[in-house]
């Protein structure tokens, strides 16, 4: 069975830094990627169950230039006597006129990112947007909860919808709201120069929303009411390679951008069951190997003969054919590589194997007598010998704390991630899937209270480093067997303060900080969270500054 069943292993949260970085790879610009300031409460020094570690970073004289300048559309406004626990913002147009009585929405998000599961957990932890209205001077005030970031989305008639991250509680900031822009153009085929009709265009602008349209019979497309600023345009066509354009749109402008698509290769897949029969009506996914996280580039269902065809594939790339059917089975097959554009079609036969199932119960501290924990999220992930990843869909425990996960691949070692917002994260490592199926040994896991950690990042002169990044990694021999849930990233606030509370006692961590202005790092600092019954919460090792 899965090693660690019935055992609370060192819980972990970590982040894959290549994932979701704005403007990197194929990722669209995402609003702060759920990384934000996590201020320390004023009573931090008096708390007895709180870990605190302040460590230096970067031996530079920060002076007054150490604080990152506000973005072009933001102007800090000094204002005394404001509530230090609230954000204070005012909104004006490009001429400085206040935007009064405008509809806005307050969006609260967690201040951390979880490795390979950040979208899932961010959605679980995010609260529903709260509607507010600016006053006659275009102002709002929003209470700030420690450990969260606050976004404000402004929707004013005649202006572009846009999101802003609120910073500097206790100070007033003025935000300039721009006029909407228009993006238009045509989509063409590179070889024939013919217009491409029905191409799917996805636009991600600074409103934080994803907008999708299709090109018309003449290949034309048009996006209206686009938020000015950075934007990413992604274009998909069944027989062409996907195209990604990074743009910057000015307020109240009309920009033309033609898209030229290059034809791609094709993959023909024949899906069969364990005795060679055709399998119609089953969804098949195509995953591009080497992307992080693994990018599903296409999905389709097999026809009556059990076949499916994928186009728009790149020569020289490796693709994984993935099938996960609850009744018929699971399969992972690496497709033949398309060698060149002159021979663009390859074939693959995929045979389904029987599913394996994991069952168990999530309890408090591994004690069944305390009852099961309802509403906990359970995800399993394994890495194949050739470096591919298989992750199950997230399932929730029922009223008794029981869960059932199907579709496990025979012979793989799985990490079990258990998440509940009221407890520390749990990671369980595993043996091969078929050994986990014994009804006498269910995979039970116990949740334990979270242990809050607070601290501050300072430079060699003891000055706080605002908006630094703190990387937290699980260490020790009890680490996970795959990447899920193994890292956490937190960002400090304007005073260099940070906090996180995803781990239970006993977790072994390594912390490192980065000064994002000067590019300096602290070396890794090993810490261990112990219990709060008079024992120290952190075991701190020597930290050395480095560039």
């Amino acid at each position: 069975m899965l090693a660690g069943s019935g055992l609370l292993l060192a819980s972990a949260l970590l982040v894959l830094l290549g994932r979701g970085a704005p403007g990197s790879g194929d990722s669209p610009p995402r609003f702060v990627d759920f990384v934000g300031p996590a201020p320390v409460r004023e009573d931090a020094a008096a708390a007895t169950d709180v870990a605190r570690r302040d460590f230096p970073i970067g031996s530079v004289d920060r002076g007054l230039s150490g604080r990152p300048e506000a973005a072009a559309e933001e102007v800090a406004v000094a204002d005394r006597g404001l509530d230090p626990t609230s954000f204070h913002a005012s909104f004006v147009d490009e001429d400085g006129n206040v935007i009064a009585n405008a509809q806005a929405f307050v969006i609260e998000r967690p201040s951390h990112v979880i490795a390979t599961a950040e979208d899932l957990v961010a959605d679980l932890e995010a609260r529903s947007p709260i509607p507010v209205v600016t006053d006659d001077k275009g102002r709002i005030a929003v209470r700030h909860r420690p450990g969260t970031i606050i976004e404000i989305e402004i929707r004013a008639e005649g202006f572009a919808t846009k999101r802003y991250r609120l910073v500097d509680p206790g100070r007033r900031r003025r935000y300039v709201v721009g006029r909407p822009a228009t993006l238009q153009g045509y989509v063409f085929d590179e070889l024939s120069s013919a217009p491409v009709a029905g191409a799917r265009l996805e636009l991600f602008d600074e409103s934080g929303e994803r907008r999708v349209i299709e090109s018309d019979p003449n290949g034309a497309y048009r996006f209206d009411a686009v938020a000015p600023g950075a934007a990413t345009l992604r274009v998909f066509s069944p027989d062409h390679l996907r195209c990604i354009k990074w743009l910057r749109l000015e307020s109240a402008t009309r920009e033309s951008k033609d898209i030229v698509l290059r034809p791609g290769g094709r993959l023909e897949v024949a899906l069969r069951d364990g005795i060679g029969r055709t399998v119609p009506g089953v969804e098949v996914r195509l995953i591009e190997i080497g992307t992080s996280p693994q990018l599903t580039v296409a999905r389709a269902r097999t026809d009556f003969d059990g076949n499916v065809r994928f186009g728009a594939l790149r020569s020289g790339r490796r693709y994984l054919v993935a099938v996960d059917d609850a009744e018929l089975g699971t399969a992972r097959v690496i497709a033949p590589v398309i060698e060149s554009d002159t021979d663009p079609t390859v074939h693959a036969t995929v045979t389904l194997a029987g599913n394996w199932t994991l069952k168990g119960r999530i309890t408090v501290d591994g004690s069944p007598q305390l009852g099961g924990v309802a509403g906990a999220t359970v995800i399993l992930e394994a890495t194949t010998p050739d470096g591919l990843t298989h992750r199950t869909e997230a399932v929730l425990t029922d009223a008794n704390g029981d869960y059932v996960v199907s579709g496990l691949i025979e012979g793989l070692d799985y990490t079990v991630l258990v998440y509940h917002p009221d407890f520390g994260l749990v990671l369980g490592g595993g043996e091969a899937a078929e050994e986990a199926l014994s009804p006498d040994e269910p995979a039970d896991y116990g949740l334990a209270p979270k242990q809050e950690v607070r601290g501050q990042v300072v430079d060699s002169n003891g000055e706080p480093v605002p908006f630094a990044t703190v990387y937290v990694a699980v260490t020790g021999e009890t680490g996970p067997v795959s990447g899920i849930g193994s890292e956490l990233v937190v960002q400090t606030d304007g005073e260099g303060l940070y906090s996180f509370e995803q781990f239970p006692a006993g977790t072994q961590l390594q912390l490192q900080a980065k000064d994002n202005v000067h590019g300096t790092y602290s070396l890794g600092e090993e810490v261990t969270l112990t219990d709060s019954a008079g024992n120290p919460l952190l075991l701190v090792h020597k930290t050395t500054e480095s560039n």
Side-chain angles (χ1 to χ4, degrees), residues 7-22:
L7 174 65
L8 175 61
L9 298 182
S11 299
L13 270 178
L14 281 220
V15 91
L16 294 180
L17 301 182
R19 159 86 166 142

Side-chain angles (χ1 to χ4, degrees), residues 67-68 70 75-90 140-142 166-175 467 494-495:
R67 191 183 195 87
V75 180
V77 180
D79 200 343
R80 297 181 179 180
L82 297 177
D83 179 4
T85 64
S86 297
F87 294 111
H88 304 268
S90 60
I140 63 167
V142 180
L166 301 185
V167 296
D168 288 349
R171 290 171 55 87
R172 188 179 304 282
R173 276 186 174 260
R174 183 182 297 144
Y175 297 85
F467 310 115
E495 303 302 324

Side-chain angles (χ1 to χ4, degrees), residues 361-375:
R361 173 170 293 182
I362 308 302
T363 61
V364 177
D365 199 25
S367 303
Q369 64 271 20
L370 298 179
V373 178

Side-chain angles (χ1 to χ4, degrees), residues 225-279:
V226 181
T232 296
L233 179 64
R234 303 199 298 188
V235 187
F236 302 87
S237 173
D239 295 315
H240 298 84
L241 303 179
R242 70 179 183 275
C243 179
I244 301 176
K245 298 291 184 181
W246 289 273
L247 311 170
R248 186 161 194 88
L249 304 177
E250 301 299 328
S251 177
T253 61
R254 183 187 302 272
E255 180 166 340
S256 295
K257 185 70 176 180
D258 291 341
I259 307 297
V260 179
L261 299 181
R262 181 181 178 185
R266 296 178 295 276
L267 169 65
E268 296 178 351
V269 176
L271 185 63
R272 303 292 183 261
D273 64 14
I275 58 175
R277 296 175 300 186
T278 61
V279 185

Side-chain angles (χ1 to χ4, degrees), residues 284-305:
V284 179
R285 292 185 297 131
L286 194 64
I287 300 171
E288 185 172 335
I289 298 172
T291 56
S292 179
Q294 295 177 109
L295 178 65
T296 297
V297 296
R299 61 180 72 217
R301 290 191 175 274
T302 54
D303 60 19
F304 182 79
D305 295 321

